[in-house]
Amino acid sequence: MAAGTGTLAPFPAALPEFPCPPQSRAPGPQGSPAGGVPPAADLVLGAAAGCMACVLTNPLEVVKTRLQLQGELRAPGTYPRPYRGVLRAAGAVCRADGLRGLQKGLAAGLLYQGLMNGVRFYCYSCALAAGWTGWPGGTVVAGAVAGAVGAFVGSPAYLVKTHLQAQTLAAVAVGHQHNHESISGAFESIYRQHGVAGLWRGVTGAVPRVAVGSAAQLATFASAKDWVCEHQWFGEGSWAAVLAGGMVSGVAVAVTMTPFDVVSTRLYNQPVDADGAGKLYRGFWDCFVQISSKEGLLGLYKGIGAVYLRLGPHTVLSLFFWDELRKMVQQQPPAGP
């Protein structure tokens, strides 16, 4: 954001949960990109920005997880619904777990954001430097691939986050309850029972989830923001325009990504046998088919309200924190000889 103007620096379309790096203009000192921030620093700043946004949007992650696990593999109308809609679900979480319940799994979420966004940012920066994003469709492909790699690296943290966010009192519990005492206890328990492979259980749902979400948002965010500005709802380049563009784009992203999100949550949270094999689903496609046949197609869209409400704010918060952190780095005086 240009100092004192309240407008955005020239960022391109943003990935879900985190923006892509800026297109380079004139190189800065010692081969740095535009603004004099080296790629390694941008990677760290990007991961930090995603974590800062996570603190503010994690309550929606908790609500989304509960909604997606509710009525697992049961026909509509045949199970109790302690969670009904985003606001009432948030209230149910608070009544059962207190206000702190809305921040369940935060430590694991921060770890996931740092790992996933750091790796994704680095991969996208490599594609940008190689000129691949200049090809037709290159930005979408690069974003999808970078997102898939980041999702794979951050998968253990997302696994633990899902377990912790699903845990609650028996009266309002949904999905399998893993009963971990802490994030460290969760990692230790999973590793002790199933080894390293157990930490990547459910990754087959996470990779397509982030890849599809990244591609969908990259394909729609810029055009949605331009559409908002063309209708003169907000000034071009303002944060309000970015947020509005993110919310408009979020409709397309939520519709395309939510089925993958539901499958990912189910695969991560399902109980497993002594060999680490899932007791409910054999894999991504089996999970998809079972949900569709037993819960109906709408079962694949459980929690879509929370998914949608989280996308726009998380994107614009990530952009804001990232831009502010970059300005702080740019203002540092150069090191002496």
Side-chain angles (χ1 to χ4, degrees):
M1 184 162 43
T5 65
T7 58
L8 280 169
F11 289 105
L15 293 169
E17 301 174 88
F18 192 73
C20 296
Q23 300 288 346
S24 295
R25 293 168 290 177
Q30 298 180 354
S32 298
V37 179
D42 243 343
L43 183 151
V44 174
L45 296 180
C51 289
M52 294 167 76
C54 175
V55 174
L56 299 176
T57 57
N58 190 66
L60 286 170
E61 275 287 311
V62 176
V63 169
K64 181 203 74 172
T65 299
R66 302 284 178 88
L67 289 170
Q68 290 178 342
L69 291 173
Q70 185 170 248
E72 186 168 16
L73 299 183
R74 298 178 66 177
T78 63
Y79 56 87
R81 294 178 59 195
Y83 307 103
R84 294 172 178 267
V86 175
L87 291 179
R88 292 173 69 180
V93 172
C94 290
R95 286 192 296 273
D97 305 313
L99 282 175
R100 293 180 60 184
L102 290 173
Q103 289 292 10
K104 277 198 170 186
L106 178 60
L110 292 172
L111 178 60
Y112 171 73
Q113 288 289 333
L115 289 171
M116 188 270 292
N117 282 318
V119 172
R120 179 164 62 173
F121 204 99
Y122 176 78
C123 291
Y124 189 90
S125 295
C126 290
L128 188 68
W132 297 345
T133 55
W135 300 348
T139 298
V140 175
V141 173
V145 172
V149 176
F152 179 85
V153 174
S155 185
Y158 202 95
L159 170 70
V160 171
K161 179 187 76 70
T162 303
H163 288 185
L164 294 174
Q165 290 178 340
Q167 291 181 186
T168 187
L169 299 177
V172 292
V174 290
H176 182 71
Q177 299 291 289
H178 292 271
N179 299 319
H180 300 303
E181 294 294 330
S182 63
I183 178 175
S184 58
F187 278 116
E188 181 182 354
S189 174
I190 295 169
Y191 176 76
R192 186 175 61 251
Q193 294 179 45
H194 306 293
V196 174
L199 293 171
W200 267 268
R201 186 176 71 244
V203 71
T204 55
V207 169
R209 168 189 172 268
V210 178
V212 168
S214 297
Q217 191 160 32
L218 278 167
T220 59
F221 180 80
S223 57
K225 183 165 65 70
D226 291 342
W227 180 77
V228 168
C229 293
E230 286 172 6
H231 284 71
Q232 299 182 342
W233 293 347
F234 304 104
E236 185 173 358
S238 68
W239 287 106
V242 174
L243 178 58
M247 299 309 291
V248 173
S249 170
V251 175
V253 180
V255 169
T256 55
M257 190 176 75
T258 298
F260 295 91
D261 205 4
V262 172
V263 170
S264 178
T265 299
R266 299 286 182 86
L267 290 176
Y268 275 129
N269 195 66
Q270 71 170 328
V272 296
D273 60 24
D275 296 325
K279 292 183 177 181
L280 300 179
Y281 314 105
R282 294 190 301 273
F284 176 86
W285 184 245
D286 180 61
C287 183
F288 190 94
V289 171
Q290 285 205 59
I291 294 173
S292 301
S293 60
K294 297 180 180 180
E295 302 176 44
L297 288 177
L298 290 181
L300 292 168
Y301 283 92
K302 287 182 175 180
I304 189 173
V307 172
Y308 170 72
L309 290 175
R310 179 182 175 278
L311 284 171
H314 195 110
T315 296
V316 78
L317 285 168
S318 296
L319 281 167
F320 174 76
F321 290 133
W322 184 37
D323 195 36
E324 292 300 312
L325 290 170
R326 291 182 86 246
K327 287 195 299 183
M328 291 171 61
V329 171
Q330 291 166 4
Q331 291 169 0
Q332 296 297 318

